[in-house]
Amino acid sequence: MDVIAVHVDRCVGCKTCELACAVERGSEGKTLLSAVREAPQPQARVRVEGAGGVSFAIQCRHCADAPCLDACLTGALARDAESGLVRVNDDRCIGCWTCVMFCPYGVIFPWPERKLALKCDRCMHMESSACVDSCPTQALEIVNVEKLADAYAEKRRSAAMAASGIGIDGAVHLDLGK
Amino acid sequence: MGRADYDLVVVGGGAAGLNAAFSCRQRFPDKRVLLIDRESEVGYYRTLLPMFMAGNLNEDKLFFWKSGDDENLDTRLGVQVRSLDRAAKCLTLDTGETIGYARLVLACGGYPIVPPVFERAVTPEGVFPVRGLSVAREIKDWLPQRRDIVVLGGGLVGSKTSVFLRLAGFNVTLVEKEAHILPTVLSADTARPLQRHLENMGVQVKTETTIDQFKADADGAVSSVHLATGEWLPCGTFLVGIGSTPDLAFLDGTGLVEDGELVVSPTLQTHDPEIFGVGDAIYIRVAGGDKHNPWTWPQAVNQGKLAGANAFLDSPMPLKRTTRVNAQNIAGVPIMILGGPGVGSSIEARPGPGDGVWREFFMHEGCIVGGALVGDISGAGPLHFTMAGGADVSETTDELLKPRTRAFGALAWTSLGQARRANIISAKGS
Ligand SMILES: Cc1cc2nc3c(=O)[nH]c(=O)nc-3n(C[C@H](O)[C@H](O)[C@H](O)COP(=O)(O)OP(=O)(O)OC[C@H]3O[C@@H](n4cnc5c(N)ncnc54)[C@H](O)[C@@H]3O)c2cc1C
Ligand code: SF4
Ligand code: SF4
């Protein structure tokens, strides 16, 4: 499965990805100029997080054992059989926000004006992902989860000492930090 | 009559029972599973019934499964389990048939408690429990002619039902015997803005009272109900949404029920290790001896999945989370319930800004053990898992209570090791 991952060392926290996502995926007009005038205001599915001088963009990880899927009250959240990605079927979503509460990463966003839960689907029906394309420092990249996991395991092996304090947390723990 | 034998028999085809059946079939593909339910239809979202009753949901959106898709998953619908014989490892149905099992999952859910006033007299027409699809269909057909509705029970089901019916234009009065709505999960302070919101929507809320009399019209249908506080309410439809009490009569004499409760271990086993219990029907005995039941849809799904996967394991796995976490969107006001106050917990709260926003935590030894977010639910997901993980947040409590907090940001870079949250290819300084 291919997911979006981040080079934290390249992310400068400029939020260009947020803007690109909101315009490309949330707006009717698809241009920044028209998007800012739209009501309800377009929302992004990626958010830039950070504190203490470190920032990074974060979006859905499409967890192997996704708590949000078990929580959805209506079947709106479902895994796409072909791509393995977790997505919201807008037609079924009633905006109850139960899934928001069940995503440990805080990457499902309520969009009250449309009564829709908003989350990243990697722009699966487009040629490429808006946030990845827009990042001025190329901090975002589409990577294969399994390969990233392998790379992570390799890095851990070679730096067993440095890995202290960080454990494997769930099936798609891909942190190459430390 | 002959006896049919199955590897796994599931009693109850709600969220918990169906997920138990699915996960057993997936985990142990050679096992034959039978699902029994006294309703004639299963595989629907019970959580959508208020919307459906109000006429705001197409029936095709109600269902997620129809029987017949899997030849090794049989169903017996419209039949009730009458008794269980543990020694012979079989169930008896109301049809007289017996069904043998190697493993059994009890997922019989709960049912609202109809107030005694209706039991003593002959129940008039127009009185319905809010629980299943067949009754929800009756309610849906009944409502248009009887638009004055009284909903009994200001818990989750009653409040949610009132909101959807009000949104559909009905006249709704919600009656709750405690001092405020959602009394088991919210403090009075948190409930206040929510209650005000309901009232602004046009739902009449009557607290600290209950129904003690009713009148029926010439057609034998309920026409008004009387409150113990001395007031007659016009009422063409009376909906019971209180409680979720399991009907465990079929377990009489099995020794599985203690003081009226079906209690299971964290691996969801009763004290007969071949018999599991899941969902609204059970209590889980958690560490420290406390009994706990979340009674929510996500928990029912989770427990069902686990019981199905545990059914044929030599060392079954314990349930990961037992949090009573729940979310509602009450006509534009989002609420997140993190759980009720535990014994000995203190309250940390932060009102506003503005009317209708209230964030509060129940804290115990630096850890969040419950609480609620009303009007502003930012950071809810990370907060839930921080609570479930039992992390000490005494340093960041203020930060987390702040409206529009990005709990993620506030929690990041603490001892919780939040840096692992993103798919990180290369870290700072690497
Ligand atoms: C109107 C309504 C709205 C709700 N909204 C929410 C919400 O927004 N969020 C949330 O988290 N939760 C909500 N809930 C709660 C949630 O739906 C339940 O916690 C969940 O459905 C419990 O699932 P279960 O499988 O344990 O029980 P149930 O779904 O009740 O299933 C039990 C099944 O067992 C069958 N049965 C019982 N006894 C027998 C017997 N002897 N023989 C044969 N069959 C039997 C019953 O017919 C029933 O189909 C709501 C509930 C209701 C009623
Ligand atoms: S929304 Fe959250 S819980 Fe669901 S798959 Fe994505 S990261 Fe996992
Ligand atoms: S907000 Fe939508 S996707 Fe999320 S749980 Fe509710 S219905 Fe499902």
Side-chain angles (χ1 to χ4, degrees), chain A residues 96-129:
Chain A
C96 68
W97 317 141
T98 305
C99 56
V100 173
M101 187 120 215
F102 276 81
C103 171
Y105 305 103
V107 292
I108 306 185
F109 308 102
W111 193 1
E113 291 84 357
R114 292 228 160 132
K115 281 185 130 192
L116 276 183
L118 213 58
K119 69 179 287 300
C120 172
D121 58 7
R122 214 200 59 204
C123 297
M124 62 184 285
H125 294 304
M126 301 177 13
E127 249 166 55
S128 57
S129 310

Side-chain angles (χ1 to χ4, degrees), chain A residues 60-121:
Chain A
C60 173
R61 304 166 55 133
H62 306 283
C63 305
D65 187 9
C68 63
L69 286 179
D70 288 356
C72 179
L73 298 188
T74 68
L77 266 169
R79 194 181 293 280
D80 181 65
E82 206 178 308
S83 64
L85 298 171
V86 174
R87 52 191 303 254
V88 179
N89 178 349
D90 292 0
D91 204 35
R92 274 185 172 249
C93 178
I94 58 166
C96 68
W97 317 141
T98 305
C99 56
V100 173
M101 187 120 215
F102 276 81
C103 171
Y105 305 103
V107 292
I108 306 185
F109 308 102
W111 193 1
E113 291 84 357
R114 292 228 160 132
K115 281 185 130 192
L116 276 183
L118 213 58
K119 69 179 287 300
C120 172
D121 58 7

Side-chain angles (χ1 to χ4, degrees), chain A residues 73 98, chain B residues 11-17 36-39 41-42 44 46-50 79-82 107-110 130-132 156-157 160-161 247 250 278-281 295-298 300 325-328:
Chain A
L73 298 188
T98 305
Chain B
V11 181
I36 307 173
D37 201 296
R38 64 182 171 203
E39 281 202 64
E41 293 168 285
V42 294
Y44 60 88
R46 200 172 293 286
T47 46
L48 287 175
L49 290 182
V79 293
Q80 185 154 348
V81 175
R82 279 281 175 237
C108 48
V130 179
R131 186 76 194 184
L156 195 85
V157 171
K160 188 171 163 175
T161 301
D247 179 1
F250 72 101
V278 287
D280 281 12
W295 288 327
T296 64
W297 178 272
V325 162
N326 205 274
Q328 297 286 314

